[in-house]
Amino acid sequence: MNVFITSGTYEFMKNKKDKHPNENILLMQNLESAVLLHETTGKTLFSSPRKYEVVDGKGNLQNHGYVVMNNIPVSEEGQPVFEHRFKNRAGLIENEPGFVALRILRPLNSETYVILTIWEKQADFMKSDSFQKAQDSGAKAAVTNSSQKLFSGEAYVTQYTLVQDSEE
């Protein structure tokens, strides 16, 4: 399974999504931008997307709720360790109230992994402590393993509100 992500103006992104009603495309926005996320086993519909392979996933993507993307630059040498840790994680986040879906996305054209979670609403994410615990333990483990440089840059978080289709 692959995920393709592109961004642009809200109107352009909405028109692109509307032209492909049978595809699994999520439209999301925040104050800065609008983003389309296309999850598929086929080819991308976007001209120049960020490309990812799904390493692990739980739940189904839905077109309403709140999206949190933890963007983590990982060095080439650190990628196997990073993926192993996420594949063998405790899985606590899935039990949090309001949790909908999780995707661990391996970059195909960059070094930045995306840990994508979808929540019923922003308040559910804000109340979640297992997400913070998971991030803290991953960062501490990386710091203690000084023989291998796991991260190639600073991690950052982007957050979006999913835009529901008007006919639903």
Side-chain angles (χ1 to χ4, degrees):
M1 183 71 65
N2 290 312
V3 167
F4 303 99
I5 300 174
T6 192
S7 56
T9 65
Y10 175 81
E11 293 77 17
F12 185 79
M13 297 291 104
K14 174 131 179 51
N15 287 337
K16 185 81 165 172
K17 179 182 185 331
D18 291 346
K19 287 179 184 177
H20 303 281
N22 297 324
E23 293 289 332
N24 189 14
I25 299 176
L26 301 180
L27 173 60
M28 55 190 96
Q29 66 179 351
N30 61 22
L31 294 175
E32 289 89 39
S33 67
V35 173
L36 285 180
L37 181 145
H38 181 212
E39 185 176 57
T40 181
T41 56
K43 295 185 177 189
T44 181
L45 302 170
F46 309 145
S47 58
S48 56
R50 294 183 302 278
K51 301 173 184 178
Y52 303 90
E53 181 180 354
V54 177
V55 175
D56 193 14
K58 302 290 182 209
N60 295 316
L61 300 183
Q62 66 180 27
N63 71 351
H64 65 279
Y66 193 73
V67 175
V68 179
M69 292 186 194
N70 195 351
N71 302 272
I72 306 170
V74 178
S75 68
E76 187 175 339
E77 67 205 36
Q79 290 179 357
V81 173
F82 181 82
E83 288 185 23
H84 175 77
R85 288 185 183 155
F86 266 98
K87 287 178 184 175
N88 295 290
R89 63 194 169 73
L92 299 175
I93 197 167
E94 290 97 320
N95 298 319
E96 292 286 346
F99 170 83
V100 174
L102 164 75
R103 295 294 184 275
I104 300 171
L105 305 176
R106 174 191 301 133
L108 298 179
N109 55 359
S110 78
E111 287 189 329
T112 304
Y113 280 74
V114 174
I115 312 305
L116 179 141
T117 55
I118 299 179
W119 302 84
E120 285 293 335
K121 54 189 180 288
Q122 183 179 11
D124 293 329
F125 167 70
M126 301 306 280
K127 292 176 191 172
S128 164
D129 65 356
S130 65
F131 184 76
Q132 186 59 47
K133 287 178 187 174
Q135 299 311 307
D136 290 346
S137 65
K140 287 177 189 167
V143 169
T144 59
N145 187 1
S146 59
S147 65
Q148 183 176 35
K149 185 175 190 254
L150 193 60
F151 302 114
S152 60
E154 290 291 319
Y156 61 96
V157 175
T158 50
Q159 300 179 36
Y160 301 92
T161 300
L162 285 160
V163 178
Q164 254 184 298
D165 292 334
S166 55
E167 62 270 7
E168 291 185 6

